[in-house]
Amino acid sequence: MTFTPAPWPRTLRSQEWYGGTSRDNIYHRGWLKNQGYPDDLFDGRPVIGILNTWSDLTPCNGHLRELAEKVKAGVWEAGGFPVEVPVFSASENTFRPTAMMYRNLAAMAVEEVMRAQPIDGAVLLVGCDKTTPSLMMGAASTDIPSIVVTGGPMLNGWFKGERMGSGTALWQMSEDIKAGKMTQEDFLAAEQAMSRSSGTCNTMGTASTMASMAEALGMALSGNAAIPGVDSRRRVMAQMTGRRIVQMVKDDLKPSDIMTKQAFENAIRCNGAIGGSTNAVIHLLALAGRVGVDLTLDDWDRCGRDVPTIVNLMPSGKYLMEEFFYAGGLPVVLKRLSEAGMLHDDALTVSGTTIGEEVAGAQNWNDDVILPVEKALAASGGIAVLRGNLAPNGAVLKPSAASPHLMKHRGRAVVFEDIDDYKARINDDALDIDENCVMVLKNCGPKGYPGMSEVGNMGLPPKVLKKGITDMVRISDARMSGTAYGTVVLHTAPEAAAGGPLAVVRTGDMIELDVEARRIHLDISDDELAARLAAWTPAAPMFTSGYSKLFVDMVEGADTGADFGILKGNRGNEVPRDSH
Ligand code: FES
């Protein structure tokens, strides 16, 4: 990919606010000068917005104010003018019903903040699951030069000599409590051990996956994804990012120059190699929609199908992000993909060079963390896209987190109409269910459980767990946490609340899953399915006003990224003139 930098010097968009002698220019400059800025800062140098998702209630991003100072230092050093701007921070661990319901709102807010203000370039300071895609989506829709720097993962959790992976350990211990294998006292004692430093989840969950996706897309400096949040090299990365964005503005290196179809294909293959989160499917589809790249679920299956999972991290494997960093981090993985002919080497990155050049010198320091191909966790580690009469628009499954013996399975459906029905019955020993059944959860898609909560990896019934069984086939229109595992069919589309076939599955129906054949099938006749669908009626609207109603009315299917239709596309950064 060849990129020709724009000529410099030239007049930047911030000069419309700060550059002249009109009443409006004096108004804008004068107000900012109340912070003590000298005249020469308004001389046409790049104004860099540091879009900060820091919040006390987004603890994963709790250290981003310190990192923002390092970004600022880098911007100053490179001759830019840094301005820190707080933006919507969708916290994964506090937002209800789910942070995903607010991803589009955050993206919309970021887009408008960037366009409406005198920002020539942006540093997207992110970390927690939804903060990364939401800011990238907003930036993509303005096409203002932008670069991602993440907060980095927490240090390893340890409890009683065992690694404690964020989320993964919690799901495991919760099942152990139900199975009578762990005491409540130990469960409580493990709480602090799971989160022992600043940073994001330390597993290859959604946060680490999205940090890796940003790097694989070329939107972050090489090596960014894995540096722990508290490592001094994270601060160096922030400072270098601040330096780099200034040159990106001068060169006019925009998101649309970087996030091409090739870049998305690189990211999809990278996701397979790292055993990344299924949430990346939704976020990358939405992000592609913002830059106008034609990306589909079929691209996920096509590109990921032959990619082995070589990163031995929880939830698929054994280690955590700290060890991934020490082993060499994402550049090693990208280099492996390159050597296997699975990387578009010439894809451009924020550095101004190609991704192939960026990773050429990467070295693996621990081949039990970044495995040789012959020891891959899954030979075909890419996200599997399933289709059939149960999911005409597709559903996804993460092979590296699934049980090999369940990848081809036929079982009797046990249906839960919604999450409340599931919670009310799952612990009842009278529930007619065994390990060969297929658990079906309805009405948890983007509209049905607004935002599509991460409940797809629903816990197994205690009476099955007590037999020592740890996995069953589960099917829903929900998402699952990137830290979760199991033979779990997710994102079934169309969703039940929109009248998809999932809505008419009944307890006792037989369901066939065949991951190799990419098939998910409800074993009833076409006539019977048509009759059930004709008799189906939608539930009464859950909301009649407010953002919740807007979300349910506007959100599209998981198979296209669950964005709002009106937010798709790159709307550029032209803005009406002042109204003062
Ligand atoms: Fe925020 Fe995992 S909950 S990074």
Side-chain angles (χ1 to χ4, degrees):
M1 183 78 58
T2 51
F3 170 73
T4 307
W8 182 260
R10 66 180 192 286
T11 303
L12 299 173
R13 68 189 299 272
S14 61
Q15 286 291 294
E16 287 193 30
W17 284 260
Y18 298 137
T21 55
S22 72
R23 183 197 62 176
D24 287 348
N25 296 141
I26 291 167
Y27 169 83
H28 294 303
R29 265 196 316 269
W31 250 260
L32 198 52
K33 281 184 172 179
N34 83 354
Q35 296 299 301
Y37 293 122
D39 265 339
D40 60 354
L41 291 187
F42 302 92
D43 61 1
R45 68 188 68 198
V47 176
I48 305 299
I50 301 169
L51 307 188
N52 196 343
T53 52
W54 167 86
S55 160
D56 273 339
L57 286 177
T58 310
C60 326
N61 296 7
H63 57 309
L64 296 190
R65 281 166 126 184
E66 298 157 41
L67 282 185
E69 292 304 318
K70 301 300 283 185
V71 175
K72 278 184 193 173
V75 172
W76 287 126
E77 285 166 351
F81 182 177
V83 287
E84 189 177 349
V85 181
V87 291
F88 194 110
S89 183
S91 172
E92 195 66 23
N93 45 55
T94 51
F95 270 59
R96 288 185 173 179
T98 164
M100 180 62 185
M101 182 168 154
Y102 303 94
R103 183 201 64 179
N104 297 347
L105 179 63
M108 184 159 39
V110 165
E111 176 185 341
E112 299 305 327
V113 159
M114 288 178 72
R115 185 182 295 113
Q117 303 218 75
I119 289 174
D120 299 314
V123 174
L124 312 180
L125 203 39
V126 292
C128 193
D129 299 18
K130 305 302 177 292
T131 59
T132 305
S134 61
L135 266 62
M136 291 180 75
M137 288 162 67
S141 283
T142 67
D143 214 19
I144 288 172
S146 299
I147 186 169
V148 172
V149 62
T150 50
M154 291 187 279
L155 297 176
N156 280 8
W158 289 97
F159 182 65
K160 294 193 168 181
E162 300 285 337
R163 285 180 185 79
M164 300 289 287
S166 313
T168 305
L170 187 62
W171 319 137
Q172 182 62 55
M173 289 187 291
S174 158
E175 298 285 81
D176 285 350
I177 291 270
K178 283 198 256 175
K181 292 197 272 182
M182 186 178 200
T183 66
Q184 189 68 28
E185 290 69 33
D186 271 357
F187 197 14
L188 289 170
E191 183 178 297
Q192 184 75 50
M194 284 188 282
S195 309
R196 52 180 278 260
S197 80
S198 291
T200 54
C201 288
N202 54 22
T203 41
M204 188 51 81
T206 304
S208 298
T209 299
M210 290 311 299
S212 301
M213 294 297 93
E215 189 172 328
L217 281 166
M219 286 295 291
L221 290 178
S222 187
N224 170 75
I227 308 170
V230 294
D231 193 297
S232 56
R233 286 162 284 189
R234 172 60 57 192
R235 284 178 276 164
V236 173
M237 178 60 72
Q239 190 158 338
M240 299 307 286
T241 300
R243 290 183 188 175
R244 180 61 202 153
I245 186 64
V246 176
Q247 191 60 44
M248 286 175 66
V249 171
K250 291 178 178 174
D251 292 347
D252 200 26
L253 179 53
K254 305 180 294 299
S256 61
D257 297 316
I258 297 165
M259 289 193 279
T260 60
K261 180 86 183 236
Q262 288 192 331
F264 280 98
E265 291 184 349
N266 283 347
I268 290 171
R269 292 196 175 103
C270 176
N271 186 272
I274 62 176
S277 166
T278 45
N279 282 320
V281 178
I282 294 182
H283 298 322
L284 261 59
L285 289 171
L287 185 56
R290 297 301 186 102
V291 278
V293 166
D294 180 22
L295 191 76
T296 67
L297 269 182
D298 291 335
D299 290 314
W300 274 89
D301 202 79
R302 175 179 60 81
C303 294
R305 197 165 187 131
D306 299 323
V307 180
T309 300
I310 55 170
V311 175
N312 190 8
L313 257 59
M314 297 181 200
S316 302
K318 170 175 163 189
Y319 295 105
L320 294 169
M321 286 298 286
E322 190 181 339
E323 284 132 335
F324 184 41
F325 174 58
Y326 301 148
L330 201 71
V332 176
V333 177
L334 295 171
K335 185 181 178 188
R336 286 279 192 81
L337 289 171
S338 172
E339 289 167 345
M342 290 183 173
L343 193 77
H344 298 295
D345 286 327
D346 59 347
L348 189 66
T349 79
V350 286
S351 69
T353 55
T354 66
I355 199 157
E357 291 172 87
E358 289 287 327
V359 303
Q363 273 187 276
N364 184 7
W365 301 108
N366 188 333
D367 62 9
D368 196 40
V369 175
I370 305 174
L371 302 163
V373 170
E374 40 304 351
K375 291 188 181 169
L377 296 180
S380 180
I383 301 291
V385 177
L386 310 167
R387 291 187 192 273
N389 67 351
L390 194 45
N393 293 354
V396 303
L397 178 141
K398 180 176 171 180
S400 64
S403 299
H405 72 281
L406 292 173
M407 299 287 261
K408 184 166 185 175
H409 183 80
R410 178 182 162 88
R412 174 172 60 87
V414 176
V415 174
F416 303 97
E417 291 299 324
D418 55 32
I419 193 66
D420 293 328
D421 182 34
Y422 164 80
K423 287 179 179 168
R425 295 195 291 132
I426 192 63
N427 294 325
D428 185 351
D429 277 346
L431 182 66
D432 182 15
I433 192 168
D434 62 36
E435 59 272 29
N436 298 313
C437 291
V438 173
M439 297 168 69
V440 176
L441 177 60
K442 301 178 182 176
N443 294 306
C444 292
K447 291 178 188 290
Y449 190 166
M452 204 182 168
S453 282
E454 293 181 332
V455 293
N457 58 314
M458 60 196 121
L460 307 190
K463 68 178 186 182
V464 172
L465 286 168
K466 283 175 187 155
K467 289 197 247 175
I469 305 292
T470 56
D471 196 9
M472 289 172 63
V473 173
R474 289 158 270 180
I475 300 175
S476 73
D477 44 12
R479 295 177 299 119
M480 95 174 165
S481 165
T483 62
Y485 46 85
T487 310
V488 185
V489 177
L490 303 155
H491 311 179
T492 302
E495 63 174 302
L502 187 70
V504 298
V505 181
R506 294 175 184 165
T507 291
D509 288 343
M510 296 304 289
I511 291 179
E512 293 169 8
L513 168 68
D514 186 342
V515 178
E516 178 62 28
R518 300 299 196 252
R519 182 166 183 264
I520 183 81
H521 179 73
L522 178 64
D523 194 7
I524 61 174
S525 71
D526 292 347
D527 287 349
E528 169 68 10
L529 180 57
R532 289 190 195 179
L533 287 171
W536 176 83
T537 52
M542 214 176 306
F543 306 103
T544 54
S545 65
Y547 174 71
S548 303
K549 174 170 168 48
L550 182 123
F551 181 88
V552 173
D553 288 352
M554 303 288 289
V555 72
E556 298 191 340
D559 53 308
T560 57
D563 202 358
F564 297 164
I566 58 161
L567 294 181
K568 286 183 173 169
N570 162 6
R571 282 167 284 285
N573 50 63
E574 293 294 320
V575 68
R577 299 198 73 79
D578 277 329
S579 57
H580 299 115

